[in-house]
Amino acid sequence: ESMGSREGEMMKPEIIGATEDTETAGGSELSADAALEVIGFGRFQALMMVICGMAWFVDSVEVGGMAYIYVTLDKEWGTDTASWGLLNSLKSVASVLGALGFGMTADRFGRRPAFLGALTLTSISGLACGAVSSFGSLLLLRCVTNVGAGGILPAGISLLAEHLPPSRRESCVVFMQIFFTTGHVLAVLMSMLLVPGGHWRFFLLTLAGPPTLLLLLVARVLPETPVFLQQSGQREQAQEALNRICKFNGGRGWGASVPQEPSHAAEEALTAEPKRGLAWILSRRGLVTRVVLFGLLWSCTMTASDWATWVTEIGDSHGFSEHSIATFMIILKGVGVTGFLLAASCAQGGRGPRVLRGALAISTAAALCCAAVIGNRGPAALIGSVVCLTLAYDMVWALLYATTAAAFDPLCRASALSIATCFSRAAAAVVPLISGPLLVKHESFALLFWALGWACATLLAMFINFTEFSGSPPTHDQSGGIAEAAAGG
């Protein structure tokens, strides 16, 4: 039985985020989004945030977790830097394939099957890595793991966003960045405990443990989003999903019905040749342009974010000890947490795009300050500029996920997120080849290059319209009766 169907019956009549009159709104017809707004944020949404947080956790582990066993395996297997370079390159390709494949699956068949499919692939192949005996087998399994890891984030963002009240989507998705930090911290701690003793297999099993446990717990009860159900014409199932959410949050049930007739977009999606996801995007010139603009925004932001890869190298070149650099990196993690908590607070009420533009502008200014002080000022000025850049940098990435998800209709939301992810991963594969030589030639050149990336991202954000867009003609707004429904019809 789906999550919350039995629990809601036993809960007290107090409703979190809605009134008791919600049940009596039977004469009203509200879209799924409008209904979620009336129901409000409650226990169900908090639980979904924990479940979908695994997408950010897995992404964090795949980004940085493997690096902690490189030296150990060099001694055991005779691998070298070229081996790990090949592994990272193939992981990037695999994650792009996974993002596109599972993103299109989420838009065509539902958020639930895409999320569970990506989670299953990540968990099984991640656990299998603990039994590898050669670099070749590790290479193959990490590529398979990254197919799942690449797809779990766009599916997870869509699954979460479409269970949240529209007014809380941006701030809640921003807050999910805490799971990314959790994954990174767990990888660091486990590497310190297990890798030095040669227990790298247990290290890999530890990283695969959380997604595997989550899969076992939620595989049977994870619900489909009412927004997707309505868009795909499954009106009764959408009604049942809203009813379960309302009960789980402590209400007596959801009485208002979703629209009898599907929207224009849903009608086309239900024709003999249904168009959803990438097919829907390619059939709309305006959507293609919009997706490309968002992809360029992600690509420029990833280009500018390459500075974080070289912080330890820059610190070492300026005479900082390894202990000082490690301590500084821990401090920067704390600054990053402050950044995305600040972003979550500021993004409420649909202010995400404005806050994103501001954070990008601050990042540009901070990167220019770093370039100006790195050779002419003392370490205090450089450290201060890096701290400021870190704060804005973490705000930007937290907001970028949220505003991109909110900018696209459910018909193509997961596919749009997947394409944006592909743009960023392509930049991540190319940019270090530029940054590395620039750092060798002169550090200020590299910092100016990253500042240029921030500036381009800022200009793109100023140009992009972040309002939700599906590419279909305007349809009748089904949300006009929100106030009446909340007041009892």
Side-chain angles (χ1 to χ4, degrees):
E1 189 171 11
S2 295
M3 187 185 300
S5 59
R6 292 184 177 177
E7 293 88 334
E9 297 175 1
M10 299 183 287
M11 290 193 178
K12 296 180 181 180
E14 291 83 2
I15 299 176
I16 299 175
T19 66
E20 288 191 12
D21 290 330
T22 301
E23 183 188 31
T24 65
S28 302
E29 284 193 350
L30 302 180
S31 68
D33 270 340
L36 287 168
E37 188 66 46
V38 176
I39 293 172
F41 186 93
R43 288 180 286 246
F44 181 89
Q45 284 77 17
L47 182 58
M48 288 302 300
M49 288 179 70
V50 174
I51 292 173
C52 295
M54 190 53 61
W56 280 261
F57 178 91
V58 168
D59 189 54
S60 174
V61 168
E62 285 304 317
V63 167
M66 283 295 296
Y68 298 107
I69 66 172
Y70 289 171
V71 175
T72 300
L73 292 183
D74 284 345
K75 298 175 182 177
E76 186 171 331
W77 289 347
T79 50
D80 54 22
T81 303
S83 302
W84 303 119
L86 175 63
L87 174 66
N88 288 325
S89 297
L90 291 180
K91 281 171 57 179
S92 297
V93 174
S95 63
V96 167
L97 295 176
L100 289 174
F102 283 105
M104 290 187 288
T105 298
D107 281 333
R108 180 67 182 88
F109 300 104
R111 292 25 173 151
R112 180 183 186 275
F115 182 80
L116 290 178
L119 187 62
T120 300
L121 191 61
T122 301
S123 300
I124 294 176
S125 54
L127 290 174
C129 286
V132 296
S133 58
S134 67
F135 175 75
S137 56
L138 179 66
L139 179 68
L140 175 62
L141 285 172
R142 293 321 291 184
C143 287
V144 175
T145 303
N146 273 266
V147 171
I152 196 172
L153 195 57
I157 293 175
S158 301
L159 180 66
L160 174 63
E162 294 172 14
H163 277 115
L164 294 169
S167 63
R168 300 287 294 272
R169 279 179 184 162
E170 288 182 355
S171 59
C172 288
V173 173
V174 167
F175 182 79
M176 299 302 287
Q177 197 74 7
I178 196 169
F179 290 95
F180 187 92
T181 301
T182 301
H184 185 85
V185 171
L186 177 64
V188 172
L189 293 177
M190 290 299 101
S191 68
M192 293 171 63
L193 292 173
L194 299 175
V195 176
H199 305 300
W200 59 269
R201 298 180 190 276
F202 292 105
F203 171 71
L204 294 178
L205 291 175
T206 300
L207 298 184
T212 303
L213 179 61
L214 178 70
L215 178 64
L216 295 175
L217 291 176
V218 307
R220 297 187 62 183
V221 299
L222 186 70
E224 184 55 84
T225 73
V227 175
F228 176 82
L229 292 172
Q230 182 198 356
Q231 285 279 3
S232 58
Q234 302 176 64
R235 179 175 175 271
E236 292 184 1
Q237 291 88 334
Q239 181 78 23
E240 293 171 2
L242 290 168
N243 189 53
R244 287 193 296 268
I245 293 172
C246 191
K247 286 185 176 181
F248 196 89
N249 279 1
R252 294 184 301 176
W254 178 252
S257 58
V258 297
Q260 182 72 30
E261 296 296 329
S263 66
H264 172 87
E267 287 179 355
E268 182 161 341
L270 293 171
T271 58
E273 294 294 333
K275 290 183 178 179
R276 300 187 69 90
L278 185 60
W280 179 258
I281 292 172
L282 294 176
S283 68
R284 299 292 188 273
R285 182 180 299 177
L287 264 179
V288 171
T289 302
R290 190 178 181 87
V291 170
V292 170
L293 286 174
F294 270 92
L296 291 174
L297 175 60
W298 280 60
S299 179
C300 289
T301 305
M302 180 59 75
T303 298
S305 301
D306 187 55
W307 70 272
T309 307
W310 304 96
V311 170
T312 55
E313 294 287 336
I314 294 173
D316 181 69
S317 68
H318 283 262
F320 291 96
S321 66
E322 291 185 9
H323 177 75
S324 298
I325 295 173
T327 302
F328 184 57
M329 294 300 291
I330 293 173
I331 293 173
L332 290 184
K333 286 296 176 185
V335 172
V337 171
T338 303
F340 66 73
L341 290 178
L342 180 62
S345 175
C346 295
Q348 296 186 43
R351 295 190 296 269
R354 283 180 288 174
V355 180
L356 173 62
R357 294 178 182 119
L360 284 167
I362 294 172
S363 298
T364 304
L368 288 172
C369 286
C370 289
V373 305
I374 195 167
N376 305 320
R377 304 286 181 178
L382 178 59
I383 290 173
S385 299
V386 171
V387 168
C388 181
L389 179 57
T390 301
L391 180 69
Y393 157 83
D394 279 281
M395 289 183 69
V396 165
W397 275 109
L399 288 161
L400 198 56
Y401 286 117
T403 53
T404 304
F408 290 93
D409 185 89
L411 280 171
C412 60
R413 179 173 288 145
S415 293
L417 282 165
S418 300
I419 294 170
T421 300
C422 293
F423 270 81
S424 70
R425 294 189 187 278
V430 174
V431 170
L433 301 177
I434 302 173
S435 301
L438 287 176
L439 278 172
V440 172
K441 189 173 183 179
H442 202 290
E443 290 174 334
S444 61
F445 292 169
L447 287 163
L448 288 172
F449 171 65
W450 296 325
L452 178 62
W454 287 119
C456 291
T458 304
L459 291 175
L460 281 167
M462 296 294 181
F463 179 76
I464 291 174
N465 180 4
F466 286 87
T467 305
E468 182 181 298
F469 179 69
S470 67
S472 60
T475 58
H476 175 66
D477 184 4
Q478 301 286 353
S479 62
I482 292 180
E484 292 80 3

